[in-house]
Amino acid sequence: MFFVTFHQTISNVYAYDDDGNLLNPDNPNVLDEDGDELRGIYLEAGTGYLYVVDGGKKESKVYCYQGSGTSYKKLDNFISPKHADSIDHPCALAFDGQGKCYVANQNTNVVAALSVSSDGQKAEPENVASYLTGLFPSGKFLQGTLVASSKSDLPNAPQTNGIQEVAKKLGGLDVEIVTVKKKTKVQ
């Protein structure tokens, strides 16, 4: 079985069998409530938690769900901008099995490192990566920054005004600013 998100077309997660057949076609929603713009997902087999990135314009959160099979109920917000200013339009997440989670964010153009709570239901930002604070001792970084942006003052992310830019050759994430329908955004 595998889970699928549909970015902007369907606001829930669907489950498919190994042959690509939709499970529960009459009621395909895996989550007990719809999201805004679901993106990355991660199933922690040991706990039964399903982490779902909701990176839409109205939401900018990672949720923690618990369940099994094709039925999951939301427990809480795993992380949101309220807990870390680096979380803004998240798009993907990964776990290292050592109590850390990493969230890639579109609008801030950073990867944030998070410490996962002992129960696995919440996360808090880690300290800014030591290689960044070593290179830029007086630099300003967003909370939990593991990989910084090569540009600051990004559109739609006022919290990036004045943050430390890290050159691509030093590991800063490249970024492209595009205009679509007269709106400027990070891509």
Side-chain angles (χ1 to χ4, degrees):
M1 177 174 66
F2 56 98
F3 294 122
V4 176
T5 61
F6 299 91
H7 191 55
Q8 294 179 325
T9 57
I10 296 173
S11 300
N12 211 296
V13 173
Y14 284 9
Y16 292 82
D17 67 21
D18 292 342
D19 294 322
N21 299 306
L22 177 64
L23 299 174
N24 304 328
D26 292 335
N27 184 18
N29 291 347
V30 169
L31 307 178
D32 66 337
E33 57 184 70
D34 286 347
D36 182 31
E37 187 178 315
L38 303 184
R39 292 170 154 213
I41 53 179
Y42 181 87
L43 176 61
E44 171 55 54
T47 61
Y49 293 151
L50 180 63
Y51 299 94
V52 180
V53 175
D54 197 348
K57 291 181 177 135
K58 297 176 189 166
E59 296 295 330
S60 225
K61 299 175 182 169
V62 177
Y63 295 112
C64 179
Y65 290 82
Q66 187 172 36
S68 63
T70 61
S71 179
Y72 285 80
K73 295 193 180 308
K74 185 163 59 167
L75 297 176
D76 210 340
N77 294 339
F78 180 68
I79 191 74
S80 72
K82 177 178 145 183
H83 304 105
D85 60 2
S86 54
I87 305 299
D88 193 344
H89 208 169
C91 50
L93 75 163
F95 290 78
D96 68 3
Q98 305 293 313
K100 303 285 187 281
C101 176
Y102 307 94
V103 178
N105 297 275
Q106 182 175 328
N107 284 5
T108 57
N109 193 45
V110 302
V111 176
L114 311 171
S115 292
V116 179
S117 64
S118 59
D119 66 3
Q121 297 177 18
K122 297 271 187 191
E124 292 292 328
E126 286 272 300
N127 291 326
V128 172
S130 60
Y131 83 93
L132 293 171
T133 58
L135 285 171
F136 306 98
S138 59
K140 176 187 169 198
F141 295 94
L142 299 175
Q143 296 166 312
T145 298
L146 175 68
V147 183
S149 179
S150 62
K151 291 186 85 62
S152 63
D153 303 327
L154 297 170
N156 304 314
Q159 70 271 37
T160 64
N161 293 344
I163 64 164
Q164 179 67 53
E165 293 181 355
V166 177
K168 291 183 282 186
K169 68 181 180 180
L170 295 175
L173 289 175
D174 196 9
V175 63
E176 184 177 343
I177 310 299
V178 298
T179 302
V180 178
K181 296 180 184 176
K182 299 183 182 181
K183 291 185 180 182
T184 306
K185 66 179 195 169
V186 172
Q187 185 161 316

